[in-house]
Structure formats: C-alpha cells, structure tokens
Amino acid sequence: MSSSSPRFDRGHTDDLMTFLAESPTPYHAVANAGERLEKAGFRQLDETAAWDGTSGGKYVIRGGAIIAWYVPEGADPHTPFRIIGAHTDSPNLRVKPQPDMGAYGWRQVAVETYGGTLLNTWLDRDLGLSGRLTLRDGSHRLVNVDRPLLRVPQLAIHLDRQANEGLKLDRQRHMQPIWGLGDDVHEGDLIRFVAEEAEVTAGDVAGWDLMVHALEAPAYLGRDRELLAGPRMDNLLSVHAGVAALAAVSTAGELEFIPVLAAFDHEENGSESDTGAQGPLLGGVLERSVFARGGGYEDRARAFAGTVCLSSDTGHAVHPNYAERHDPTHHPRAGGGPILKVNVNQRYATDGSGRAVFAAACEKAGVPWQTFVSNNDMPCGTTIGPITAARHGIRTVDIGVAILSMHSARELCAADDPFLLANALVSFLK
C-alpha cells in the first residue's frame, strides 16, 4: 500500500460508529467481528475439533475473546506471525449473581464495578442492559436491551453542598441503578425480564453475564465534525481496526507472514482468565496452526522467534485543561496519527527495535505517528503488551490512538485517527 493510496478513509470511522453501537459487551463485539470476517471469507473453527493445515482465513471465539488468522497459500510450518493485539472489554457496571434489590419504594439492580471505571460518568444517564445468558444445555444467548431501562441517580446538590468541591462516590452504596417502583423485592424478577427479552424461558437460564451500557449513540462533534465521541473506544476502536486490517490483507496477494488478530477479554482487570492475555489461548492457537501445517517444536520455536505483535490500545492525548499531568516534552495530539507507547519500566513492551518496526509500517502506509510517555510523577498504565511478550517470548510493541476521557462511559478522539491506525495496521501485517 503506497502513501498515495491509503486503503481506509472516513468511511472506516463511519463503520466504527456502527461497530461501537452494536457491541455493548465483549460477547457482542466478538460476534460482530466474526460476522465481518465471515464476509471476508474466514471460517470459524471449533476448539474441540481437529484442525487441518489448509490455507485461508480462520478464527476461534471463546467467551469474549476472538483469535483470527490468515494462512497464505504455501506457508511453511515455521512461517512467522504478525499479530495485532487488542482487548474487547471496557470498564462498566456488571450485574451481581443476586441482582434484585430495592429500598424506600425504589426497585434496583445490584451491580459490581468492573475495571477502573470513572464512576461519575455513569450518573444521571439513561442506561441499557446487555450480555449473554447461559442456558441449561450449555448454549449461550446474546441479549441487548438497548432502550432506557436503568439510571444511577446523583444526589441533589441541596443534600450535598460540597458536591462541586469534590464528588466522592461509594461503589457499594451509591452506584446501584434504579429500574422501577415498588416496596416488594421479588427474587428472579430481573432474570425473568431479561429471559423474555432474549426469547427464552427463565427456567432454562442457568447463568448470566450481564452489564450496563450507555445508550447515547456515537456521534461526530465540532464545527467541522473533526471529533468522534462514543462508548467503549477503549478498546473496541483497536478491535475494529484490527478486523478491518486482517480482512484487507487476506485479499492482498502474497504475504511474507501469517497475519493474526488477537482480541482478548478481561484486560481491564488484569487479563487473568482463560480468555485474557495471561491465559493460554493465543499460544495454543498459534501452536495448533504450526502443528496443523505439519510442523513440530522446532518449527514452533522458529515461528515465534520471528513473530512481532503490535499491542494496540488507546492512550492519552494531552488534555488542554490538565496539561501539567502530561510529560512536558511528549505531547500526543488528537488527529496526529497513532501513538507509540514507551515506558522503560516495561509497563509498555516497546523497545528500540520495536520502534523501528512500527515506524517502518507507518512510513510505508504514509501515516503520521507520535510518541507517548508518562509524566515521571504519574503512575503509568499498562496493556496486554508486556504480558504477551513475557508469556510467549514474542517481540511486542505498544501502540494505539490518543483519546480523552479514557474509562469514561463516553470517550473522545479525532475522527481521522481510527482510519490512520487501520492503514498502519494493514502495512504492518503485509
């Protein structure tokens, strides 16, 4: 792909808005990713079945995670991988095992905070409910109540005169949403309601993974529509770009590497699950791909040694109202292209050789890029990057798109940055 003919433009951002709106949970996100890949000729594999070594696009879905890859015609067992890493989960409020509660004439839903949630952004906002139901036969049913159902009401300023001096929210007492009126709490009410929405019998529901989502649709902002506001950009923005890039290179002809998308769940709470980056899912899929093509341990070792992963997650643009919180010599700007994320304490996995790989991909794509480091006096966040590098011995580079309001119920980025990222990812995979 030359710099004069980028593959993606603002139409990619339009499609991102659709993807965000249709993916209120990790389970919906991977289902939608799978549908997009199916349209590009990929086929879903069953983890319990034997895999063959045929070429073409393949993917595996486990819970809220998806691993997809494309095997070029004639690929050797030791052919290295080029991996785009991302995560499907976002901080939010999730329904507890015994959800029915209430007091003083209000009916409420018991929720638990998930990840590093900006609690105040969930106040006084119309909320829906979504996730998956597990049925007694072991199957799953997605559900999305995408209409005003819940609300976490803020205390009136008359009863908290100091609210504007520093709002303090107790996760247990202050974040339980209201969904009706009544003095009696009836056990099973919420699940009966959700089962009806999913068109299943409540008695068939054996388990659930439900969460609250904000209803306001993604939207362009600003005089010139230069900004994009929406939910779950951290990190569905990267998942969407990775799906688009993988689908694009699957029709690009001869490939030097095997391109891979690895979108994990549970990054926001440490990645320690069978669908998280700490788990064996990625390594198992890559190894099975090697073995299915007739390779052995030596081929696996050679393939991993030549593999590079771009861990793509959102990062911080300089906030104009809090510029002192950022490093004084590194100023990532919205609209400036993807960011290379660096931390010498390995909160990010980038090193000099990884920087060279990323720079070359951006240069080939004609995409501008910039560098992010944390202010030395501020703790640095982390990603799946260091986990992937340490667990699999794979060279990993941390990148992403610079945004504001990270971990809010509604985040903000430049409208062009999503397609600039996608173009860089295509160049990297090729």
Side-chain angles (χ1 to χ4, degrees):
M1 183 177 67
S2 68
S3 59
S4 61
S5 57
R7 186 177 295 272
F8 298 112
D9 54 21
R10 186 62 75 88
H12 174 89
T13 305
D14 294 339
D15 188 61
L16 169 62
M17 296 168 70
T18 300
F19 186 76
L20 292 172
E22 294 178 348
S23 303
T25 75
Y27 313 111
H28 290 83
V30 297
N32 289 328
E35 288 181 8
R36 281 167 158 76
L37 291 171
E38 290 275 353
K39 291 177 181 177
F42 285 65
R43 60 187 175 91
Q44 185 173 3
L45 300 185
D46 184 344
E47 285 191 84
T48 65
W51 294 0
D52 59 44
T54 57
S55 59
K58 308 170 186 183
Y59 70 95
V60 167
I61 289 177
R62 181 192 294 183
I66 182 170
I67 311 292
W69 65 104
Y70 181 83
V71 180
E73 195 75 41
D76 293 319
H78 58 266
T79 299
F81 301 94
R82 279 285 173 102
I83 304 170
I84 298 168
H87 66 89
T88 61
D89 59 319
S90 302
N92 57 13
L93 309 176
R94 303 203 172 189
V95 175
K96 290 184 175 180
Q98 296 179 4
D100 301 292
M101 62 178 292
Y104 305 104
W106 300 101
R107 297 176 66 193
Q108 294 175 278
V109 175
V111 298
E112 187 174 3
T113 56
Y114 176 84
T117 312
L118 270 175
L119 298 177
N120 65 294
T121 67
W122 292 90
L123 302 178
D124 296 333
R125 187 184 290 270
D126 295 341
L127 304 170
L129 189 68
S130 49
R132 68 173 183 178
L133 301 176
T134 302
L135 306 184
R136 294 193 180 279
D137 64 2
S139 65
H140 298 106
R141 183 69 60 89
L142 294 182
V143 62
N144 182 9
V145 185
D146 199 36
R147 63 180 186 273
L149 180 69
L150 304 160
R151 190 176 181 88
V152 183
Q154 187 169 350
L155 185 64
I157 196 167
H158 312 80
L159 304 177
D160 183 8
R161 295 291 183 179
Q162 303 303 311
N164 289 328
E165 309 306 317
L167 180 64
K168 300 194 73 171
L169 295 170
D170 183 292
R171 287 170 171 78
Q172 180 62 39
R173 294 184 294 126
H174 300 153
M175 297 307 297
Q176 310 306 319
I178 288 169
W179 78 307
L181 299 174
D183 291 316
D184 298 326
V185 175
H186 301 288
E187 184 177 349
D189 266 5
L190 181 70
I191 299 307
R192 279 191 289 272
F193 166 78
V194 174
E196 183 177 336
E197 291 287 321
E199 299 181 342
V200 299
T201 303
D204 288 336
V205 177
W208 54 86
D209 301 280
L210 300 171
M211 56 201 75
V212 170
H213 69 270
L215 293 174
E216 192 175 358
Y220 289 114
L221 300 183
R223 183 192 66 183
D224 299 317
R225 294 164 58 89
E226 296 174 296
L227 305 172
L228 174 66
R232 300 176 293 280
M233 289 192 203
D234 179 13
N235 184 33
L236 294 187
L237 187 158
S238 294
V239 174
H240 175 261
V243 170
L246 181 60
V249 301
S250 71
T251 61
E254 189 172 335
L255 295 173
E256 184 179 351
F257 307 98
I258 295 175
V260 179
L261 169 67
F264 301 100
D265 200 355
H266 302 131
E267 189 271 349
E268 297 293 358
N269 63 4
S271 296
E272 292 184 342
S273 71
D274 70 317
T275 54
Q278 294 266 27
L281 181 58
L282 175 61
V285 167
L286 298 184
E287 288 178 348
R288 291 184 71 176
S289 175
V290 170
F291 300 153
R293 283 176 281 122
Y297 180 81
E298 183 70 14
D299 296 291
R300 180 259 188 217
R302 292 175 65 188
F304 277 42
T307 292
V308 182
C309 173
L310 286 190
S311 166
S312 181
D313 203 345
T314 54
H316 303 293
V318 175
H319 196 303
N321 300 336
Y322 300 90
E324 73 281 358
R325 303 294 183 95
H326 300 268
D327 183 82
T329 59
H330 295 77
H331 297 147
R333 301 167 65 99
I339 56 174
L340 179 72
K341 300 158 78 170
V342 180
N343 180 265
V344 295
N345 295 302
Q346 289 299 291
R347 300 292 286 172
Y348 302 130
T350 305
D351 62 9
S353 62
R355 181 185 191 277
V357 171
F358 178 64
C362 290
E363 180 180 354
K364 186 183 296 184
V367 169
W369 62 280
Q370 43 195 338
T371 305
F372 170 85
V373 296
S374 290
N375 185 307
N376 285 331
D377 287 330
M378 303 291 295
C380 181
T382 191
T383 69
I384 64 163
I387 296 170
T388 303
R391 178 167 182 83
H392 305 294
I394 289 172
R395 182 165 40 143
T396 304
V397 190
D398 273 296
I399 67 161
V401 163
I403 70 170
L404 294 182
S405 305
M406 188 184 296
H407 287 197
S408 170
R410 193 168 178 83
E411 297 161 325
L412 182 71
C413 75
D416 289 352
D417 278 338
F419 71 76
L420 292 176
L421 172 66
N423 284 325
L425 295 182
V426 168
S427 179
F428 166 73
L429 291 180
K430 290 176 67 175

